[in-house]
Each structure stands twice: as C-alpha cells, then as structure tokens.
Amino acid sequence: MKRILASAVFTLALGVAASAEAGQTLDNIKSKGVLTCGVNEGTAGFGLADSTGKYTGLDIDVCKAVATAILGSPDKIKFVPLSAPQRFTALQSGEVDILSRNTTWTLTREADLGLLFGPVTFYDGQGFLVKKSLNVKSAKQLSGATVCVQPGTTTELNLADYFRANKMELKPVVIEKLDEVENAFFSGRCDAYTTDSSGLAGTRVTKAQKPDDYIILPELISKEPLAPAVRQGDDQFYDIMRWSVFALLQAEEKGITSQNVDQMLKSEDPDIKRFLGVTPGNGKALGLDEKWAYNIIKSVGNYGEIFDRNVGKNSPLKLERGLNDLWTTGGLMYAPPPR
C-alpha cells in the first residue's frame, strides 16, 4: 500500500511540475545557454565518452542537432550520464531537458511516466551474446543458462517473456551498472548477455579482449524502436525535438550533406529553399532562427552521415542500414513534409 500511495503522490507531483513547465523549456534552454541532455553511461556507437570526457555516438549527435536548432551550436550541451533506472526520473524531475539514451519507445513509458517520444532514431531488436566455446547456435538452447541483464529495461521484461513463452528455465543475473554487467559477462559469471543487438555489437568490439571469441545469436526476440524523449506539457519543445530529427532524415533524402549544404542554398528546388530557410516560414513556426535546419546539417550532417560514422561503415561496429535506411531505399526512416 505504501508503494501505491508513494506512486500516486509522485505522479501528482509530476503532473503539477509538467503543467508549471508548459511552454518554458525553450526559454530555459536559451536562458541557460545550454541544452542538458541525458545520455548513456557508455555504449559504443550511441553514447560514449573518451579519456578527455568528449562524448560521441548516434544519440549524442541527436542532442547536438537539437542544441544547434535552438542555440546555433552543437557544443552548447551539458551531457548527463544516466543508468537505466535513473533515466526517467532525471527527465521527469527536470534534471535533463531531453533523454537521448538508446531508450525504447513503449506505451507505458508515454502513458504512465508522462513522457513524449520523438521519431525513431534507430530500429533495433534484443539479442544474445555468448562465447563461441559454449557451442550455442540458437537462443532456444539457452534454457537453464545464466543471463546477464540490466534492471528497469524493456530488455529485462522481454527476457522473461521469451523464456516463459518457450518454456525455458531462466537464471537472470540482474546488475544495474552497464560496465558492471558487461564485466560480469566477460568474467564468466553469466553464460549469455542480453541487450539491444546494436549494443551487443558495440560491447563485443570495445570490451571483449578477443571479439572473435564471441557470437551474437541469430534471433531477435523483440522490437526496440529507440527514440529521444521529452516531458509532456511543452508542445513547442516537443515540436523542436521532433523536427530536429526529421531535418536529419529530410536532408539525406534531398541529398543535402554537411559538405554541400552551402551550395544547396542556391538550389531552385522550392522544397530545399524552404527547408534551408532561404524561403522563410519554418523557423518562425517553431520559434527558431530561419536557418535552424541549415545549421543542423552544416554542424552535424544528415542522418546517413551520422549513421555511417557512429554505427555504420565508417565505424568499428559496421552495422548495415537495414530498417534504418530511408523509406526511398527500402527502410523505415521517413520525415513528414517540412512545409
């Protein structure tokens, strides 16, 4: 009962906070001169800090796109590393303005937690990483195996569902910190490690002493549409977050890159002229400078550039585009008309 009452009070407090903040997030960011972005503690390809504290990754570039749209610079960001259990409270409480941390868009996270998810920035699915020496070829052979997993994730719930549906015995090893769960797996404490397939690829490349000693099993046991999220109650900031992501996709579809965007300003294509702010209107509609989309592409690049350097052909992960390709080339990535 105490937990129910505590939850009700917390939800009420959140509702008041969300209402009080309505329409103010953009002003607060401009006043601070910085976007506060909640990111992963360290997932290669998505959000990872080097020895100097510099963050890189696909989720990081999404933060940079939003910061550039609002403040005109990809460097005006404060990154806040968050564990899986910490991330939603940090966003709800206002500790961060936006959560861009390989987070799966689900019904209950929007409806119960008071969040709004933006466009999907990476279509993923949950998989399993195992040592080759176990001679396991399929997830169906994992009955009775110990499986390392983080708590407070869709991964944990999917894992239980998958083993229950297939009448398999599950021995989960639940560890909160990402580096600790990875260390537990590589030290042999668990037979398998489960998370998003892209995360497994990054972990194998960056954390395994001998990456070739490990394999990702062929099954994907879930849909994991990863997307940035903001608090409910501020439609203007939600629009800015969404259209910053859409701008990345629209630029790729139109062939606009960080290298040719200046030349594209001279294009006679009315769509491109509107998109880059040569023909005004879109900036005013969002409460931004008319060059907001130009600034994003000039500073961060289009979605294809972001994908390739962080998780694609120009990265250690070398993931295929697959579902993350544009709709025009067989994928699911699609931006509404920016007009």
Side-chain angles (χ1 to χ4, degrees), residues 216-263:
I216 299 173
L217 299 180
E219 293 92 345
L220 293 179
I221 67 170
S222 68
K223 294 186 291 185
E224 303 294 335
L226 309 182
V230 298
R231 290 178 294 278
Q232 292 180 7
D234 191 334
D235 293 348
Q236 184 182 22
F237 185 57
Y238 178 50
D239 284 344
I240 291 171
M241 179 268 282
R242 284 198 303 168
W243 283 98
S244 295
V245 176
F246 287 142
L248 303 173
L249 301 173
Q250 179 70 11
E252 184 180 11
E253 184 178 331
K254 286 291 185 179
I256 306 170
T257 71
S258 58
Q259 300 301 310
N260 69 14
V261 67
D262 287 316
Q263 288 72 35

Side-chain angles (χ1 to χ4, degrees), residues 1-303:
M1 177 61 78
K2 286 183 178 179
R3 293 185 61 183
I4 294 174
L5 289 174
S7 176
V9 170
F10 183 58
T11 301
L12 177 60
L14 289 177
V16 172
S19 177
E21 290 183 9
Q24 295 183 3
T25 309
L26 179 62
D27 290 341
N28 287 340
I29 292 169
K30 288 181 175 178
S31 176
K32 293 183 299 182
V34 66
L35 174 75
T36 307
C37 187
V39 298
N40 204 298
E41 297 170 291
T43 296
F46 290 85
L48 185 65
D50 62 17
S51 59
T52 67
K54 180 183 177 182
Y55 278 89
T56 58
L58 191 150
D59 289 336
I60 301 303
D61 283 341
V62 170
C63 291
K64 289 182 176 180
V66 177
T68 302
I70 297 171
L71 300 169
S73 170
D75 300 321
K76 294 182 177 180
I77 303 177
K78 177 185 176 182
F79 292 110
V80 179
L82 299 168
S83 69
Q86 292 172 332
R87 55 185 163 174
F88 299 123
T89 302
L91 180 58
Q92 291 165 327
S93 67
E95 180 183 352
V96 298
D97 299 311
I98 181 174
L99 185 67
S100 185
R101 186 203 172 282
N102 58 333
T103 297
T104 303
W105 180 3
T106 72
L107 184 152
T108 53
R109 285 174 175 176
E110 281 203 327
D112 284 351
L113 299 183
L115 309 183
L116 289 173
F117 283 84
V120 174
T121 53
F122 192 90
Y123 288 95
D124 212 337
Q126 183 175 338
F128 295 91
L129 182 67
V130 299
K131 203 167 185 178
K132 279 184 180 176
S133 59
L134 289 180
N135 201 30
V136 173
K137 304 298 183 186
S138 166
K140 297 289 181 60
Q141 296 175 265
L142 291 176
S143 183
T146 51
V147 183
C148 278
V149 63
Q150 281 190 286
T153 61
T154 55
T155 307
E156 183 184 21
L157 303 176
N158 296 333
L159 176 67
D161 285 350
Y162 181 78
F163 273 67
R164 188 180 301 114
N166 288 284
K167 297 180 171 50
M168 297 161 58
E169 180 186 1
L170 174 62
K171 297 179 179 177
V173 178
V174 181
I175 303 172
E176 179 174 332
K177 292 285 188 180
L178 180 61
D179 58 343
E180 291 177 4
V181 71
E182 291 173 341
N183 290 338
F185 170 67
F186 288 116
S187 68
R189 186 175 169 190
C190 308
D191 299 314
Y193 170 43
T194 185
T195 189
D196 296 342
S197 183
S198 62
L200 296 177
T203 296
R204 181 172 58 174
V205 168
T206 59
K207 302 292 179 64
Q209 290 187 348
K210 295 181 178 179
D212 290 342
D213 286 352
Y214 297 87
I215 61 169
I216 299 173
L217 299 180
E219 293 92 345
L220 293 179
I221 67 170
S222 68
K223 294 186 291 185
E224 303 294 335
L226 309 182
V230 298
R231 290 178 294 278
Q232 292 180 7
D234 191 334
D235 293 348
Q236 184 182 22
F237 185 57
Y238 178 50
D239 284 344
I240 291 171
M241 179 268 282
R242 284 198 303 168
W243 283 98
S244 295
V245 176
F246 287 142
L248 303 173
L249 301 173
Q250 179 70 11
E252 184 180 11
E253 184 178 331
K254 286 291 185 179
I256 306 170
T257 71
S258 58
Q259 300 301 310
N260 69 14
V261 67
D262 287 316
Q263 288 72 35
M264 286 292 188
L265 289 172
K266 304 172 185 174
S267 171
E268 294 300 320
D269 184 330
D271 281 345
I272 292 177
K273 293 173 72 172
R274 267 192 304 273
F275 177 64
L276 295 179
V278 177
T279 303
N282 286 347
K284 181 180 179 182
L286 290 169
L288 300 174
D289 187 278
E290 293 293 346
K291 291 291 184 68
W292 66 278
Y294 165 86
N295 290 335
I296 288 176
I297 307 309
K298 181 72 175 178
S299 301
V300 185
N302 66 36
Y303 181 79

